[in-house]
Every structure is written in structure tokens, then in C-alpha cells.
Amino acid sequence: MQKYPEVAIIIINFNGVIDTRECLDSLVKIKYPNYKVYILDNGSTENHYDLLKKEFTDKKLNFFRSEINLGFAKGNNFIIQKLKEPYILLLNNDTIVDKNFLNNLIDDALKFKNAKILQPKILSYVNRK
């Protein structure tokens, strides 16, 4: 397996454009070299799909839209069925990531080959210590 296997990061947005913006801002700054982000606008009542797609033009970001709210699980499955990456990360849209988080997570995935699910350390948005 290559040193930097492909990782698909899925973000579901439903009427949360402010949180999603902050999340995407942090994701485009990560150091891991081999990832793509798949953003599903999940039936938002405002035009978040066009707003986010216009604002975020990084080629690592891929935007999809559902006219109806599929819910969290179906929304993620809607994207997962389109993927080819060997690693998939489900990330809430109100998450801000550290620039090294994915390097650390994939290092652990490669070290603990029998692990099927990994979780990064999560800190409070308000108190990040």
C-alpha cells in the first residue's frame, strides 16, 4: 500500500452554511497530500449549494446536491456509493480540523491494520485545550 493512500472526506450540509464554510476552510489547509472532500447539500432551504460551490474552488472539493433532506445516514450513503477511495472519513460540518489530523489518522490506520474504524481526538469548539 502506498504511503499516502487516498482518503475521501464526506461533509453533509443542511442549512449550516456558516459551519460548513469554517469546516471547509480548515480542510483545504491540511497537510495530507492525497484526499478529496465530498460535500452534499442535503436539501437546504437556502441555496447553500451554489454559495459554497462559488466560494470554494479548490479542486479537492466536490459538490453534490439533493433536492430533499436524505438525513445523515442516507446522505452519507448517497456519496459513499460514488467513491473509489480505500479510506472514507465521515466528518460533521461543524468540525474544524488541525492541519495534521489526517496524517496522524492514516498513520494509525496503517499501523493498526486490523482496525476497521478509527476516531480522531475531538476537542470542544469553545475550549480547545
Side-chain angles (χ1 to χ4, degrees), residues 12 14-15 28-29 32-33 46-47 56 59 62 67 75 77 81 84 91-92 95-97 109 113 115 123:
I12 305 295
F14 175 70
N15 292 333
V28 297
K29 295 174 186 167
Y32 191 82
E46 301 294 323
N47 195 5
F56 290 92
K59 293 183 189 225
N62 302 277
E67 297 299 324
N77 285 330
Q81 69 183 352
K84 61 176 176 51
L91 195 63
N92 287 354
T95 306
I96 299 171
V97 300
K113 294 187 185 314
L123 303 175

Side-chain angles (χ1 to χ4, degrees), residues 59-120:
K59 293 183 189 225
K60 290 186 178 288
L61 305 180
N62 302 277
F63 292 90
F64 297 87
R65 175 176 20 203
S66 173
E67 297 299 324
I68 60 167
N69 185 339
L70 301 170
F72 184 77
K74 282 185 182 179
N76 279 295
N77 285 330
F78 175 81
I79 299 297
I80 288 170
Q81 69 183 352
K82 300 174 184 319
L83 301 178
K84 61 176 176 51
E85 291 87 350
Y87 289 95
I88 298 171
L89 174 64
L90 307 181
L91 195 63
N92 287 354
N93 72 314
D94 63 350
T95 306
I96 299 171
V97 300
D98 177 83
K99 64 184 176 186
N100 295 310
F101 96 103
L102 196 52
N103 294 72
N104 297 333
L105 199 58
I106 294 300
D107 284 348
D108 284 347
L110 296 174
K111 185 180 354 177
F112 302 106
K113 294 187 185 314
N114 290 330
K116 302 300 180 207
I117 298 174
L118 298 170
Q119 173 67 47

Side-chain angles (χ1 to χ4, degrees), residues 10-29:
I10 302 174
I11 307 292
I12 305 295
N13 175 70
F14 175 70
N15 292 333
V17 72
I18 293 169
D19 289 335
T20 301
R21 269 190 188 117
E22 203 168 13
C23 180
L24 295 178
D25 279 335
S26 72
L27 282 170
V28 297
K29 295 174 186 167

